[in-house]
């Protein structure tokens, strides 16, 4: 760069402020090693159920290779609207309030870009999925984290939330069941948050990608509470529910003016979600109820096993009620999360993501994904237990 | 089906302590439940699922469709019970449709199976006809694919 008088720094300055992802760092280290057992994977180990894959193949056979409507195939939007009413108790008009996206990833970007003016503050709870803060920054907003704590079972506490609200606050992102903590909210918690949102005239973006993977308790969607539908953008997708991460298909639902705004962005940057993925999504909604039940029952057993094993060996771990992550506390061993996971990788060839990859408040924790087959989980547990025993001896 | 049975159907070697953790029971409860299933005869045994094609056994396996005359007392059960006693018979079911019994048999050679059909099976009183199909290759047995699964293609770390 030096010496060339005309060579400016071409990279936008707001992008330079976004740190490299901790996940990416860890990935680079892990990928240098062989024969590891990875509990670091944030996607289902199941392959997409065959009937869903087959529907996509059938569509390809029939030559379904074109663009679809910007909003997505009408048949899919009709099914989505019915499914959301049934499972989440909110109604969305399939012609103007449902937008099919390229995963929740795109949906989150659309939602934030549609509402954020430069300097607007968007609150999110942390530890959390890696994309929220960067996406807010890319939209020239200001990310404002609220910490969730182990002693609160990683729920978002109303008083903590209130403290972060200013006159620039525009919206709050919710993600329950949560990645990486597995936390869920109960009805009372959701009602308290809704109260604050309404009183402060805010908007909620709810990332419900793990909702179908709720193992116990009532599932309450904030959009279904009185006065909340008009101030909620509901995001969900097929990645986790039907093990369809590679299909890249999700959806955003919101009152028509908000959907319109998101649609404006979507139509110019994406046009539409891939048609074959939309066809697969149609099949999932039509005939995929039992897939969810089966996968949930398998995840539940793994969760029970992994959490009780971690607790037994001296890594305290709350019982996550949703998603597929255990989030044990490892702070008693005088090491940072990063050091702990690097040492574990080095000594026992087991990869768990350091909690700090999900925000500074993840310090002291590890994320252990149980979207991993049972045999690998069992072996990983044996190795982690051996590692912890060694640490205890000093 | 009970979750415990589902687990054992998948892996009969799963240890009671692991099962206990998965189901949120105590080890003692799991052992007691298994013992009860065994006593009641709900669990009939534990076997390895073997890919015979890989063993070069040269054994022959066949499926035989058998038509029989039901009897006044007992319907198909007497003949089925008789057939079931032959060690060659691996499995045996009563079917709806064009025939009555479906019999899976194994023999060391083609000749053995042929002899079994012509001398033992067809001669039983009440057996009207048989139709024998030889199995060429097994792709899936008892819910288990016989080909080795491909490696996990997911990235080793993802958010
Ligand atoms: C909380 C959360 N939101 C969104 C996503 C992205 O999902 P999609 O595959 O639908 O883009 C993930 C994926 O790991 C996630 O964990």
């Amino acid at each position: 760069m030096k010496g060339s008088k005309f060579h400016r720094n071409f990279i936008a300055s707001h992008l330079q402020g976004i740190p490299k992802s901790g996940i990416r760092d860890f990935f680079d280290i892990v990928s240098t090693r062989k024969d590891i057992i990875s509990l670091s994977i944030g996607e289902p180990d199941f392959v997409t159920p065959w009937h869903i894959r087959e529907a996509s193949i059938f569509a390809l056979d029939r030559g379904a290779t074109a663009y679809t409507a910007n909003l997505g195939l009408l048949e899919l939007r009709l099914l989505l609207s019915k499914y959301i009413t049934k499972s989440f108790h909110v109604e969305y008009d399939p012609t103007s309030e449902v937008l099919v996206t390229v995963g929740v990833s795109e949906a989150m970007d659309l939602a934030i870009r549609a509402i954020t003016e430069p300097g607007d503050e968007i609150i999110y709870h942390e530890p959390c999925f890696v994309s929220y803060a960067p996406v807010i920054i890319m939209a020239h907003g200001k990310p404002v984290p609220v910490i969730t704590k182990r002693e609160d079972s990683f729920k978002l506490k109303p008083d903590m939330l209130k403290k972060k609200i200013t006159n620039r606050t525009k919206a709050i992102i919710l993600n329950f069941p949560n990645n990486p903590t597995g936390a869920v909210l109960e009805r009372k918690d959701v009602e308290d948050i809704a109260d604050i949102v309404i009183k402060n005239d805010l908007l909620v973006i709810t990332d419900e990608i793990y909702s179908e993977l709720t193992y116990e308790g009532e599932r309450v969607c904030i959009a279904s509470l009185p006065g909340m539908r008009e101030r909620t953008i509901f995001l969900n997708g097929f990645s986790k529910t039907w093990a369809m991460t590679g299909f890249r298909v999700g959806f955003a639902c919101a009152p028509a003016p908000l959907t319109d705004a998101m649609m404006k962005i979507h139509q110019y940057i994406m046009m539409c979600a891939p048609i074959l993925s939309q066809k697969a999504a149609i099949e999932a909604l039509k005939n995929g109820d039992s897939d969810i039940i089966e996968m949930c029952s398998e995840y539940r057993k793994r969760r029970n096993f992994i959490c009780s094993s971690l607790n037994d060996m001296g890594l305290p771990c709350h019982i996550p009620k949703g998603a597929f992550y255990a989030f044990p506390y490892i702070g008693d061993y005088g090491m940072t999360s990063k050091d702990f996971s690097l040492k574990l990788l080095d000594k026992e060839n087991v990869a768990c993501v350091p909690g700090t990859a999900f925000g500074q408040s993840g310090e002291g924790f590890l994320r252990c994904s149980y979207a991993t087959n049972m045999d690998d989980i069992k072996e990983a547990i044996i190795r982690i237990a051996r590692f912890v025993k060694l640490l205890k001896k000093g | 089906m009970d979750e415990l049975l589902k687990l054992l159907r998948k892996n009969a070697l799963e240890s009671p302590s692991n099962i206990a953790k998965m189901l949120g029971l105590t080890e003692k409860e799991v052992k007691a439940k298994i013992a009860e299933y065994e006593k009641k005869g709900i669990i009939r045994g534990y076997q390895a699922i073997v890919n015979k094609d890989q063993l070069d056994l040269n054994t022959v396996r066949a499926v035989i469709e058998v038509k029989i005359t039901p009897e006044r007392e007992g319907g198909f059960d007497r003949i089925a019970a008789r057939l079931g006693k032959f060690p060659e018979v691996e499995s045996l079911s009563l079917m709806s449709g064009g025939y009555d019994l479906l019999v899976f048999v194994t023999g060391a050679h083609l000749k053995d199976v042929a002899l079994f059909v012509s001398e033992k099976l067809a001669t039983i009183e009440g057996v009207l006809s048989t139709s024998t199909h030889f199995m060429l290759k097994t792709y899936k047995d008892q819910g288990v694919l016989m080909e080795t699964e491909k490696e996990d293609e997911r990235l080793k770390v993802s958010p």
Side-chain angles (χ1 to χ4, degrees):
Chain A
M1 240 187 259
K2 274 181 203 149
S4 162
K5 150 178 182 203
F6 296 110
H7 195 158
R8 309 179 290 191
N9 185 350
F10 292 115
I11 311 299
S13 56
H14 68 292
L15 265 193
Q16 293 171 30
I18 299 175
K20 201 170 151 214
S21 145
I23 288 272
R24 186 74 223 173
D25 268 356
F26 193 61
F27 175 79
D28 290 342
I29 297 164
V30 170
S31 46
T32 61
R33 301 184 60 107
K34 279 214 165 78
D35 299 323
I36 61 152
I37 295 185
S38 182
L39 303 184
S40 307
I41 307 179
E43 62 177 316
D45 59 309
F46 300 106
V47 187
T48 311
W50 170 245
H51 68 105
I52 297 174
R53 282 183 277 158
E54 201 271 341
S56 193
I57 295 169
F58 181 70
L60 183 58
D61 257 359
R62 299 259 294 232
T65 58
Y67 294 130
T68 71
N70 294 129
L71 284 175
L73 293 167
L74 181 60
E75 185 187 3
L76 176 54
R77 283 180 281 137
L78 286 164
L79 285 164
L80 277 171
S81 164
K82 252 174 49 190
Y83 159 72
I84 296 163
T85 305
K86 191 179 111 217
S87 297
F88 298 90
H89 314 293
V90 211
E91 288 186 22
Y92 291 107
D93 172 14
T95 63
S96 62
E97 300 183 322
V98 179
L99 170 61
V100 179
T101 61
V102 180
V104 172
S105 302
E106 191 215 351
M108 181 59 76
D109 182 35
L110 297 180
I112 289 173
R113 277 207 267 174
I115 63 163
T116 307
E117 295 186 40
D120 276 354
E121 293 174 9
I122 312 276
I123 296 176
Y124 62 97
H125 49 93
E126 197 206 86
C128 68
F129 185 54
V130 295
S131 83
Y132 301 156
V135 168
I136 296 166
I137 294 171
M138 285 189 263
H140 304 281
K142 183 177 166 206
V144 179
V146 195
I147 307 309
T148 60
K149 294 186 181 149
R150 177 175 156 219
E151 54 266 34
D152 303 324
S153 306
F154 294 102
K155 287 176 177 182
L156 174 57
K157 287 310 221 184
D159 48 328
M160 301 274 283
L161 172 59
K162 271 188 216 156
K163 280 189 208 145
K164 297 287 178 172
I165 295 174
T166 72
N167 55 6
R168 286 309 307 266
T169 307
K170 192 85 167 256
I172 300 169
I173 300 174
L174 296 179
N175 170 228
F176 296 99
N178 177 260
N179 175 8
T181 66
V184 303
L185 294 182
E186 275 148 53
R187 179 170 288 278
K188 175 79 172 67
D189 307 317
V190 183
E191 283 170 354
D192 289 349
I193 293 169
D195 243 19
I196 298 171
V197 167
I198 291 170
K199 282 204 183 102
N200 291 279
D201 196 16
L202 305 177
L203 189 81
V204 165
I205 300 171
T206 182
D207 176 349
E208 305 256 350
I209 193 160
Y210 292 101
S211 276
E212 291 288 3
L213 307 181
T214 302
Y215 305 113
E216 51 239 0
E218 188 196 11
R219 186 175 68 194
V220 185
C221 175
I222 195 161
S224 70
L225 298 188
M228 282 307 297
R229 197 191 100 99
E230 62 255 40
R231 47 177 79 248
T232 302
I233 301 178
F234 172 91
L235 312 181
N236 203 337
F238 295 81
S239 287
K240 320 284 166 164
T241 313
W242 281 283
M244 288 171 63
T245 43
F247 280 91
R248 309 306 306 126
V249 58
F251 47 95
C253 302
L258 281 167
T259 304
D260 256 2
M262 291 190 283
M263 166 71 172
K264 244 184 215 167
I265 308 170
H266 174 76
Q267 72 182 346
Y268 292 125
I269 61 155
M270 203 60 78
M271 297 263 276
C272 64
I275 186 168
L276 293 175
S277 304
Q278 293 192 51
K279 293 283 188 183
I282 288 172
E283 171 63 23
L285 288 171
K286 271 188 177 161
N287 297 311
D289 286 357
S290 61
D291 302 326
I292 303 178
I293 296 170
E294 243 167 71
M295 288 193 257
C296 268
S297 132
E298 181 64 28
Y299 285 135
R300 187 186 290 112
K301 278 179 233 162
R302 296 175 184 180
R303 175 200 66 167
N304 293 349
F305 177 79
I306 204 168
C307 292
S308 92
S309 303
L310 289 168
N311 277 313
D312 282 355
M313 71 176 76
L315 298 183
C317 176
H318 69 287
I319 304 293
K321 291 194 174 154
F324 39 57
Y325 309 103
F327 203 59
Y329 178 65
I330 49 92
D332 292 334
Y333 295 92
M335 267 185 273
T336 63
S337 299
K338 190 161 182 204
D339 287 344
F340 192 100
S341 54
L342 289 179
K343 258 211 176 107
L344 176 62
L345 184 64
D346 190 45
K347 284 249 177 342
E348 294 287 357
N349 250 355
V350 174
C352 298
V353 185
T356 41
F358 309 96
Q360 209 37 55
S361 54
E363 185 55 89
F365 298 90
L366 280 191
R367 191 192 72 173
C368 308
S369 164
Y370 50 90
T372 309
N373 74 63
M374 199 61 213
D375 288 339
D376 280 354
I377 293 178
K378 279 190 250 171
E379 176 60 26
I381 284 294
I382 292 170
R383 296 186 191 183
I384 299 171
R386 193 161 55 205
F387 178 70
V388 169
K389 211 165 162 189
L390 207 73
L391 293 179
K392 278 182 185 159
K393 277 190 192 148
Chain B
M1 201 186 297
D2 171 38
E3 288 290 333
L4 170 62
L5 284 177
K6 272 197 219 160
L7 277 173
L8 288 174
R9 292 258 298 139
K10 225 172 169 186
N11 177 8
L13 293 180
E14 193 68 84
S15 73
S17 91
N18 281 351
I19 294 177
K21 280 180 179 161
M22 285 182 227
L23 302 182
L25 301 170
T26 65
E27 206 174 319
K28 217 170 133 194
E29 285 169 327
V30 170
K31 283 183 177 157
K33 258 178 119 172
I34 293 176
E36 193 188 323
Y37 282 131
E38 287 171 350
K39 197 166 150 225
K40 281 189 180 154
I42 290 172
I43 293 179
R44 291 273 159 182
Y46 305 87
Q47 295 182 333
I49 299 164
V50 174
N51 184 3
K52 299 196 184 88
D53 295 338
Q54 225 173 316
L55 284 177
D56 282 332
L57 290 175
N58 292 320
T59 51
V60 181
R61 295 211 291 158
V63 194
I64 311 165
E65 301 164 4
V66 185
K67 279 190 197 163
I68 56 183
T69 344
E71 293 167 350
R72 198 178 174 89
E73 304 266 318
F76 302 94
D77 293 350
R78 192 190 60 87
I79 295 181
R82 242 186 102 171
L83 267 176
K85 292 207 175 92
F86 288 106
E88 295 92 327
V89 173
E90 277 187 347
S91 73
L92 171 63
S93 310
L94 180 64
M95 311 294 290
S96 69
Y99 54 92
D100 306 305
L101 294 174
L102 188 65
V103 190
F104 285 68
V105 299
T106 315
H109 302 283
L110 206 85
K111 213 175 66 193
D112 296 336
V113 175
L115 276 177
F116 173 76
V117 174
S118 62
E119 301 200 345
K120 307 226 166 94
L121 209 166
T123 54
I124 295 175
E125 199 188 315
V127 169
L128 297 175
S129 71
T130 65
S131 167
T132 305
H133 311 271
F134 287 99
M135 283 201 223
L136 302 180
K137 183 174 173 183
T138 302
Y139 294 96
K140 192 174 182 182
D141 194 13
Q142 301 182 58
V144 178
L145 282 172
M146 291 296 132
E147 71 181 45
T148 312
E149 298 255 356
K150 60 175 176 14
E151 254 192 74
D152 195 338
E153 282 170 354
R154 297 175 300 161
L155 299 173
K156 287 281 178 244
V157 181
S158 61

